Amino acid sequence: MPVAASAIYFLNLRGDVLINRLYRDDVGGNMVDAFRVHIMQTKELGTCPVRQIGGCSFFYMRISNVYIVIVVSSNANVACAFKFVVEAVALFKSYFGGAFDEDAIRNNFVLIYELLDEIMDFGYPQNLSPEILKLYITQEGVRSPFSSKPTDKPVPNATLQVTGAVGWRREGLVYKKNEVFLDIVESVNLLMSSKGSVLRCDVTGKILMKCFLSGMPDLKLGLNDKIGLEKESQIKSRPTKSGKTIELDDVTFHQCVNLTRFNSEKTVSFVPPDGEFELMKYRITEGVNLPFRVLPTIKELGRTRMEVNVKVKSVFGAKMFALGVVIKIPVPKQTAKTSFQVTSGRAKYNAAIDCLVWKIRKFPGQTEPTMSAEVELISTMAEKKSWTRPPIQMEFQVPMFTASGLRVRFLKVWEKSGYNTVEWVRYITKAGSYEIRC
């Protein structure tokens, strides 16, 4: 069920109403007094963003020094309400030059009232896209003096943009060179036991695109995902030979993707927005290719000495390399002196985080650099407590490598004028939470 909001209020931290808009007559104008008395004055603002008072529900969120409160008299979708607030704030910031606070609201109250009439009708959310609304609400807001963002100029055909099926892209775009940039960016999350067994491993990824295309192009993207390849083999009536197949979980798409065509053909078809956008997000839990294997050995020699030996093996191809590799090995707080021997990179002791920090700026594939360290500890008279060893943490970035094995099989661009297009595809794998217990 949509939001079906009865009213929306903008309050400052004292509870004074800056702006309010009543969309239905099922609530009284004094509902903000109930919010101020029962929630703000009882110091319960941070406990739960949803409260029920009498027969009404209050959804509220604090942005800077402003509280945005949505009043609902019937059952409503809470997630939709907060999504509306987030996108409405992004819309206001685009008009105000990036600022949204009490001063910005006071300086732009006329513009805010006009926007509130457009983005919500009888309590139901409407179009909140800044690109579309700026086509016909051309009034400029009072911009922050710290903002250097230029003012967007209105373009023609506003009615077509608002009522048409492709509301995220305007017509009449022309580029001398038509290019498409596609980045597959993945973050590896790993938790490995001291014995080398994987306790938790998954990959979260996203496909980022930057399109500079003329006209209204129709793009079709093919990946080596399991569902798409199975559908293609059914259409061709023969098994596919596209290599490894990937099973994607929790896939979410940008609004430009044609979901009907995806359900029938299992290919990602879309008319892209102009410029940079996030096409899709996904998660993978099976068949993860770990880019690194860490083999630590930590020996406590009495109460005042430790030996640390760490070997890191890069599993990716020999022609590839990782950038900005950082390995953090925890040590006790009473560490007094350290000495290192490394076969690659540099190592030092960082007392602020109680870690031995080993940095390798460029890490080639299929190599096994090692780091050996002797750690001297301060002897204390207090009874020694067993040192709980935190996990080793690792940071890295591997270009042209995907831990999931996801690959772009094809990227086709069709436009009625038939111009030539240059496609660029890049893969990047980074460390999310890469931890190894020792």
Side-chain angles (χ1 to χ4, degrees):
M1 183 178 179
V3 175
S6 299
I8 184 170
Y9 293 91
F10 294 77
L11 311 176
N12 60 15
L13 298 182
R14 298 187 303 272
D16 301 329
V17 178
L18 303 176
I19 282 180
N20 71 294
R21 182 71 171 85
L22 298 178
Y23 292 102
R24 294 167 175 250
D25 57 0
D26 54 355
V27 297
N30 60 346
M31 293 305 299
V32 67
D33 297 331
F35 176 81
R36 189 184 300 113
V37 172
H38 294 280
I39 299 178
M40 295 193 72
Q41 295 181 2
T42 56
K43 307 298 183 182
E44 295 183 1
L45 281 169
T47 57
C48 179
V50 180
R51 292 289 301 276
Q52 285 188 321
I53 303 175
C56 295
S57 299
F58 292 81
F59 309 147
Y60 57 91
M61 180 182 296
R62 176 177 174 178
I63 308 294
S64 183
N65 57 353
V66 177
Y67 284 102
I68 302 178
V69 184
I70 293 180
V71 183
V72 177
S73 62
S74 59
N75 189 20
N77 190 323
V78 179
C80 183
F82 287 122
K83 180 68 173 177
F84 171 81
V85 172
V86 171
E87 293 194 5
V89 171
L91 172 65
F92 296 148
K93 287 183 177 180
S94 68
Y95 273 94
F96 306 157
F100 182 81
D101 50 22
E102 183 176 352
D103 293 335
I105 292 176
R106 293 184 183 278
N107 294 333
N108 296 277
F109 69 93
V110 175
L111 176 59
I112 293 177
Y113 274 121
E114 186 174 0
L115 291 172
L116 289 176
D117 289 337
E118 294 294 337
I119 63 179
M120 183 168 280
D121 183 21
F122 196 58
Y124 295 102
Q126 306 298 311
N127 196 335
L128 288 97
S129 173
E131 293 80 8
I132 303 304
L133 290 169
K134 287 183 179 180
L135 298 178
Y136 58 97
I137 299 182
T138 58
Q139 179 181 345
E140 296 184 7
V142 179
R143 308 178 71 86
S144 169
F146 303 102
S147 173
S148 58
K149 185 177 179 181
T151 304
D152 297 329
K153 295 181 179 180
V155 297
N157 297 330
T159 306
L160 177 63
Q161 295 299 315
V162 176
T163 61
V166 185
W168 52 85
R169 183 181 180 89
R170 62 185 177 89
E171 290 187 340
L173 294 173
V174 177
Y175 290 96
K176 292 183 179 180
K177 185 176 181 181
N178 295 284
E179 294 179 295
V180 178
F181 299 86
L182 187 147
D183 289 342
I184 295 182
V185 182
E186 294 186 344
S187 297
V188 185
N189 304 302
L190 170 72
L191 179 60
M192 182 175 290
S193 69
S194 58
K195 297 181 180 180
S197 60
V198 177
L199 303 177
R200 175 180 57 84
C201 184
D202 66 87
V203 174
T204 57
K206 54 187 176 181
I207 297 181
L208 305 176
M209 296 196 69
K210 189 179 294 185
C211 295
F212 303 105
L213 299 173
S214 304
M216 297 291 286
D218 190 0
L219 275 65
K220 182 178 290 187
L221 173 65
L223 306 170
N224 61 332
D225 60 298
K226 184 177 180 180
I227 299 179
L229 291 177
E230 288 179 351
K231 184 67 177 180
E232 182 176 324
S233 63
Q234 293 174 5
I235 296 175
K236 295 182 178 180
S237 299
R238 64 176 183 269
T240 181
K241 298 182 180 180
S242 299
K244 182 181 178 181
T245 59
I246 308 300
E247 189 166 357
L248 302 178
D249 301 324
D250 303 332
V251 181
T252 58
F253 293 107
H254 187 273
Q255 63 173 341
C256 67
V257 176
N258 190 329
L259 297 181
T260 303
R261 191 180 298 179
F262 177 78
N263 293 331
S264 60
E265 302 177 8
K266 301 305 177 186
T267 57
V268 184
S269 302
F270 57 99
V271 176
D274 185 44
E276 187 173 356
F277 66 100
E278 184 179 281
L279 178 64
M280 61 179 285
K281 294 189 294 185
Y282 59 90
R283 188 170 66 93
I284 292 177
T285 56
E286 297 181 358
V288 177
N289 301 319
L290 298 177
F292 293 98
R293 296 191 182 277
V294 182
L295 305 175
T297 303
I298 299 178
K299 297 181 181 179
E300 298 185 41
L301 308 177
R303 299 180 59 181
T304 59
R305 288 185 60 233
M306 288 179 58
E307 285 187 359
V308 179
N309 295 283
V310 179
K311 179 190 292 186
V312 181
K313 180 179 180 180
S314 53
V315 186
F316 46 87
K319 294 183 179 180
M320 293 187 291
F321 55 86
L323 299 174
V325 178
V326 179
I327 303 100
K328 299 178 181 179
I329 304 98
V331 292
K333 290 186 177 182
Q334 61 268 27
T335 298
K337 185 180 179 181
T338 57
S339 59
F340 299 93
Q341 288 184 351
V342 294
T343 58
S344 179
R346 295 182 178 182
K348 67 177 183 178
Y349 168 60
N350 190 332
I353 57 176
D354 297 320
C355 286
L356 307 179
V357 181
W358 181 17
K359 295 183 179 181
I360 304 175
R361 188 165 65 175
K362 190 173 182 179
F363 199 131
Q366 299 298 317
T367 57
E368 297 183 11
T370 59
M371 188 272 288
S372 301
E374 293 186 359
V375 180
E376 296 184 10
L377 308 175
I378 300 174
S379 180
T380 59
M381 298 298 295
E383 181 181 356
K384 182 182 177 182
K385 297 182 180 179
S386 59
W387 176 48
T388 303
R389 299 181 181 180
I392 295 175
Q393 297 181 342
M394 193 170 181
E395 302 172 6
F396 55 82
Q397 181 171 311
V398 188
M400 303 312 296
F401 173 83
T402 55
S404 65
L406 189 67
R407 286 290 184 269
V408 175
R409 293 169 44 241
F410 60 84
L411 178 59
K412 300 178 181 178
V413 180
W414 181 87
E415 216 275 336
K416 59 183 179 181
S417 60
Y419 54 72
N420 295 325
T421 308
V422 180
E423 295 91 11
W424 305 88
V425 179
R426 183 173 61 171
Y427 305 92
I428 301 175
T429 295
K430 302 185 294 183
S433 175
Y434 209 89
E435 299 180 345
I436 300 92
R437 291 180 178 176
C438 52

